[in-house]
Amino acid sequence: MEAIIKTEKYKSGECLAIYVDSQDKVNELMLTLIEAGFIVNYEPRHTFENYEGCFLCSDEIAIKVCYREQKSKKKGS
């Protein structure tokens, strides 16, 4: 699985955002992290920009697993 990992602002601090290449990969990675004992903040869902799920690490730190659909470019652009 290929992923892009970024740090981003979160509600109460920062988060580690892991961008994968499909919604199925979000679901697979969420299940893997749940099985490893991470605490789910919210299950995968569609947000304004992404399909994402989130885990809490502390009050100020979270891990998000995200998929952002690529917008196709119009011909001639």
Side-chain angles (χ1 to χ4, degrees):
M1 171 187 329
E2 290 187 30
I4 297 171
I5 301 172
K6 302 177 180 182
T7 55
E8 299 178 345
K9 293 287 183 188
Y10 189 66
K11 300 174 204 174
S12 57
E14 291 196 84
C15 75
L16 182 67
I18 304 169
Y19 287 87
V20 295
D21 54 5
S22 72
Q23 289 184 23
D24 289 340
K25 296 293 183 190
V26 170
N27 296 333
E28 288 176 28
L29 191 50
M30 289 289 295
L31 288 172
T32 300
L33 292 171
I34 288 168
E35 290 170 355
F38 284 83
I39 299 169
V40 176
N41 185 19
Y42 56 84
E43 293 180 10
R45 63 183 184 200
H46 290 278
T47 64
F48 179 70
E49 295 180 335
N50 302 320
Y51 177 74
E52 66 184 39
C54 185
F55 294 93
L56 287 177
C57 295
S58 70
D59 290 340
E60 298 177 358
I61 300 172
I63 299 172
K64 291 192 312 183
V65 181
C66 311
Y67 166 69
R68 181 174 295 162
E69 188 170 328
Q70 301 297 321
K71 296 179 182 176
S72 60
K73 293 184 178 183
K74 294 180 183 178
K75 289 185 179 181
S77 298

